Amino acid sequence: MPSGRRGDDVATEFTRMLQQLKRRGCNLLLVGSVPDSVLSCASRKFFGDPHERRFRVVVLTGTSRTTVDERVPMYGTHEERTTVITHLTEPADCEVPSDHVDSSVPELSNAVSSSITSFETDDGLQSGQLRVGVDSLESLFERYDPEAVQRFLGIVTGRIRGADGMGHFIFPRDYDHDLVSELAPLFDGVVEYRIDGEGQERWHFPHRDLQSPWLPL
């Protein structure tokens, strides 16, 4: 917790920040060396309530967390509003529209951009309706040059912001990892996960020198 602030002041500012992110959209980096089940639960939360009108782009890049319905429950009732994109992993076996990208990072960013465009209307999307999840950045960094991955992030996060959407990008490394520190400025916030009897999360907003306490997942 940043020094010089009372706990009540931090809680108030944290609540205000979350409201702003929901209202204008955001991109979040999800980090932590935790079991797959914790990250899948986090991803499902950021994809939003399945009963609300959302437009979801699920991007799976070489992760073992490949079960679509672990992230978007009841997706079978929302086929026209969910798209799955796979890269560095097996093509998705699901009932929603899917696209498998065999080639490079630029092609992956094009596929994500095209999926977002397919959901846009003349009036645009309402704030927070678009939800994009990428799992995981670790596979991309293992395969490609870091500069190429950061260009991909710049393009995709820009498209999400342009649609007032909410994007989450999973990177299962510790919060104090050097690469996490390097990536943090590209995002509106970093959400850190740990296991302490149960799954917990802690939000970091580097641009505002703001950090939440550990919260139940």
Side-chain angles (χ1 to χ4, degrees), residues 22-148:
K22 291 179 180 179
R23 185 170 59 251
R24 61 179 173 81
C26 61
N27 289 289
L28 301 171
L29 181 64
L30 278 50
V31 304
S33 299
V34 293
D36 287 351
S37 59
V38 174
L39 295 174
S40 292
C41 180
S43 184
R44 181 168 62 248
K45 180 178 72 172
F46 286 114
F47 274 121
D49 188 330
H51 300 288
E52 295 183 3
R53 186 171 178 79
R54 298 284 185 258
F55 298 86
R56 301 173 175 90
V57 182
V58 185
V59 185
L60 305 176
T61 60
T63 176
S64 61
R65 296 174 288 276
T66 54
T67 305
V68 177
D69 54 5
E70 286 183 353
R71 304 159 185 279
V72 188
M74 299 173 58
Y75 71 87
T77 64
H78 303 286
E79 293 93 342
E80 77 283 2
R81 300 200 300 271
T82 301
T83 296
V84 178
I85 300 172
T86 54
H87 181 59
L88 304 179
T89 190
E90 293 298 319
D93 181 15
C94 57
E95 297 178 7
V96 299
S98 61
D99 182 14
H100 182 67
V101 177
D102 283 318
S103 52
S104 63
V105 169
E107 291 301 319
L108 181 60
S109 62
N110 288 341
V112 177
S113 295
S114 295
S115 294
I116 294 174
T117 299
S118 71
F119 290 142
E120 292 177 321
T121 65
D122 292 339
D123 297 329
L125 295 168
Q126 295 181 14
S127 179
Q129 275 193 320
L130 173 68
R131 302 295 177 98
V132 179
V134 179
D135 188 4
S136 77
L137 298 183
E138 183 174 42
S139 300
L140 296 180
F141 278 110
E142 288 176 350
R143 177 70 177 269
Y144 300 111
D145 183 81
E147 287 75 15

Side-chain angles (χ1 to χ4, degrees), residues 185-217:
L186 301 175
F187 296 90
D188 299 288
V190 180
V191 189
E192 177 186 7
Y193 295 91
R194 74 174 184 182
I195 295 293
D196 185 17
E198 61 180 359
Q200 295 182 328
E201 64 183 23
R202 181 167 64 178
W203 292 61
H204 304 262
F205 300 100
H207 303 290
R208 299 288 294 271
D209 190 29
L210 177 65
Q211 174 182 295
S212 79
W214 285 104
L215 304 169
L217 179 58

